[in-house]
Amino acid sequence: MGTATARNGSTATAWRNWAGNVTATPTRVVTPASVGELQEAVRRAAEDGLRVKAVGTGHSFTAAAATDGVLLRPQALAGIRSVDRAAGTVTVAAGTALKDLNRALAAEGLSLTNMGDIMEQTVSGATSTGTHGTGRDSASIAAQIRSLELVTADGELLVCSEKENPEVFAAARVGIGALGIVTAITFAVEPLFFLTAREEPMGFDRVTAEFEEHFAENEHFEFYWFPHTGNCNTKRNNRSQGPAAPPGPVSGWIEDELLSNGLFQAVNTLGRAVPATIPSIARVASRALSARTYTDIPYKVFTSPRRVRFVEMEYALPREAVVEALRELRAMVDRSRLRISFPVEVRTAPADDIALSTASGRDTAYIAVHMYRGTPYQAYFTAAEQIFTAHGGRPHWGKVHTRDAEYFSRIYPRFGEFTALRDRLDPDRVFVNDYLRRVLGA
């Protein structure tokens, strides 16, 4: 990749996201060492007529962070600022990686209530795109925010909570980078607890028939369906008294290597080269699983390493529609010539009150489809998207989709509230890019 010297003497380098499907060449890259430096970078960019985007670790599959203007990298704005045990909150700088936050909280005897299945993202990147795990009662990471700091287009710093700038707080927790640059987040936390995970293979017909039962009986329920098979793997996480009893070395290897990393990488490489082998591989892989139970602190149960790179689409559906949509997806794959080497993931979330959260105002279930990086994914994703949108699906803001502002204005009742706030906070569109023009309008 080429480089170019920016006006302020910094070197601008072409940027690429984690999956490698999005690239951009900004005019300049700024790594602010303080909130004041970040505010000044925004002001200068506006004076120079440049657009501004902040980028975390690049785990979004969309071009939400891409810009040809000023790319802000907030990684120097990292670490826990304060812990308020009485209030049950922690305030953390926006560039902090979730993995560092989780480990620091555990050392303090604290934890988030729920989290996604990877923890490489920055806290601001994860929340701004609506990253979530699975939960019957506990919602996305953004729904655990109690306040945040936001640098607006004029370089001012807004503190937002239910009591202070509440209309901004209602939207900016999942702001897609459209309202400003988040510099700090205060999360609700609770005393560290144990989760017992029960993983169990289960047939597709059974898990779909019993989906509502599994959802109701477990605090955190999810499952993976292996395309080209009738096999699934279920995971139920529930609180327990402990003590910690982590996975043994054999079952740990199966999960972390066979399903997620080393061997899975080799299998996908073979499948990419010889697609005809994929159904056979899927049948073998799905049958290699056996039931296991283990107990650990939350982040060690919720999250897993993900070294195999892929491209992903995920849609949030009304929970009552998810089983029918999944059955339609299976029927589509079975009658097609597609060869899908990645499992399909199904998770849930309760309704929340964030304007553009994928679970805004409705109990939600998610279906995520993946393809190995470098494998053509458009045919699969297009067919899946047609199924999901027919059920009123809302795409994850950080994952591949083709929807636009006209679509979102119909499926988000509070879409107009968000865009009106954007008009007020960023009338000159300092924070715009091509992605935001598509999903929010000009």
Side-chain angles (χ1 to χ4, degrees):
M1 295 182 187
T3 62
T5 302
R7 241 188 62 190
N8 64 353
S10 65
T11 299
T13 306
W15 169 82
R16 182 184 300 273
N17 70 341
W18 177 83
N21 67 312
V22 178
T23 58
T25 304
T27 301
R28 60 179 179 249
V29 177
V30 179
T31 306
S34 66
V35 173
E37 286 187 14
L38 190 150
Q39 291 174 275
E40 179 57 29
V42 171
R43 291 190 193 104
R44 245 197 92 199
E47 290 169 0
D48 293 346
L50 297 173
R51 307 305 179 194
V52 181
K53 299 306 298 178
V55 63
T57 54
H59 267 266
S60 287
F61 302 93
T62 63
T67 185
D68 58 2
V70 176
L71 192 70
L72 293 178
R73 304 194 69 103
Q75 279 80 352
L77 303 178
I80 291 178
R81 288 191 185 177
S82 63
V83 176
D84 187 334
R85 293 181 182 274
T89 60
V90 59
T91 300
V92 58
T96 308
L98 282 168
K99 61 184 178 183
D100 296 330
L101 173 61
N102 286 331
R103 290 165 183 157
L105 286 175
E108 295 280 347
L110 299 169
S111 178
L112 295 169
T113 299
N114 200 356
M115 59 194 77
D117 58 6
I118 62 171
M119 56 179 184
E120 300 302 315
Q121 312 100 310
T122 61
V123 294
S124 56
T127 56
S128 293
T129 55
T131 295
H132 61 90
T134 190
R136 181 189 60 204
D137 310 303
S138 53
S140 69
I141 303 175
Q144 297 169 71
I145 296 176
R146 294 296 171 264
S147 68
L148 58 84
E149 293 178 3
L150 186 75
V151 173
T152 57
D154 57 7
E156 295 302 307
L157 185 67
L158 283 185
V159 177
C160 309
S161 67
E162 289 184 347
K163 295 181 179 178
E164 197 169 0
N165 296 301
E167 76 288 353
V168 181
F169 182 69
R173 285 171 287 170
V174 180
I176 336 171
L179 304 178
I181 308 295
V182 175
T183 57
I185 298 173
T186 298
F187 290 104
V189 292
E190 58 178 301
L192 195 64
F193 55 94
F194 286 108
L195 285 172
T196 293
R198 168 69 176 172
E199 296 178 4
E200 180 184 1
M202 192 175 294
F204 180 94
D205 293 336
R206 179 186 167 191
V207 74
T208 52
E210 298 176 356
F211 175 73
E212 280 296 322
E213 180 182 328
H214 293 305
F215 166 80
E217 292 178 351
N218 296 281
E219 292 174 80
H220 309 274
F221 175 68
E222 63 186 304
F223 69 94
Y224 299 83
W225 164 58
F226 294 81
H228 312 296
T229 80
N231 303 326
C232 297
N233 194 40
T234 63
K235 185 175 182 182
R236 288 166 272 194
N237 300 330
N238 292 285
R239 295 192 185 213
S240 71
Q241 295 301 309
V250 174
S251 64
W253 180 87
I254 291 173
E255 168 65 25
D256 292 337
E257 294 303 320
L258 176 62
L259 278 184
S260 304
N261 294 303
L263 183 56
F264 193 51
Q265 173 88 47
V267 163
N268 274 278
T269 301
L270 172 61
R272 184 173 63 188
V274 189
T277 64
I278 288 175
S280 298
I281 291 170
R283 287 190 289 271
V284 171
S286 63
R287 289 172 184 158
L289 299 168
S290 58
R292 64 173 183 165
T293 301
Y294 55 95
T295 300
D296 218 323
I297 59 176
Y299 83 84
K300 294 185 179 181
V301 174
F302 283 131
T303 69
S304 302
R306 291 286 185 266
R307 296 196 303 274
V308 179
R309 304 208 178 198
F310 53 85
V311 179
E312 179 178 0
M313 168 185 284
E314 181 178 57
Y315 264 75
L317 308 178
R319 199 182 75 236
E320 63 272 15
V322 72
V323 169
E324 178 59 28
L326 190 63
R327 288 170 176 159
E328 291 173 11
L329 183 71
R330 181 185 181 185
M332 180 275 293
V333 170
D334 286 349
R335 68 175 177 263
S336 75
R337 300 181 66 181
L338 295 169
R339 295 294 177 260
I340 315 301
S341 62
F342 261 79
V344 173
E345 183 179 25
V346 179
R347 296 179 287 175
T348 68
D352 64 42
D353 64 349
I354 306 170
L356 292 190
S357 165
T358 49
S360 182
R362 72 185 191 191
D363 290 339
T364 294
Y366 298 90
I367 302 179
V369 297
H370 313 70
M371 287 290 272
Y372 184 46
R373 186 175 71 170
T375 303
Y377 61 84
Q378 287 84 357
Y380 178 36
F381 285 12
T382 297
E385 191 171 39
Q386 289 173 351
I387 294 169
F388 302 152
T389 55
H391 290 279
R394 299 166 176 171
H396 189 299
W397 295 108
K399 299 179 184 179
V400 174
H401 67 89
T402 65
R403 301 298 88 188
D404 60 15
E406 190 277 331
Y407 181 83
F408 292 122
S409 69
R410 290 188 281 113
I411 63 163
Y412 280 102
R414 299 171 66 184
F415 186 78
E417 172 189 330
F418 187 96
T419 55
L421 180 64
R422 180 192 184 207
D423 289 342
R424 176 162 71 83
L425 293 180
D426 188 15
D428 297 324
R429 300 295 191 258
V430 172
F431 301 117
V432 80
N433 62 5
D434 289 342
Y435 180 70
L436 291 182
R437 287 188 189 96
R438 172 163 67 89
V439 301
L440 296 179

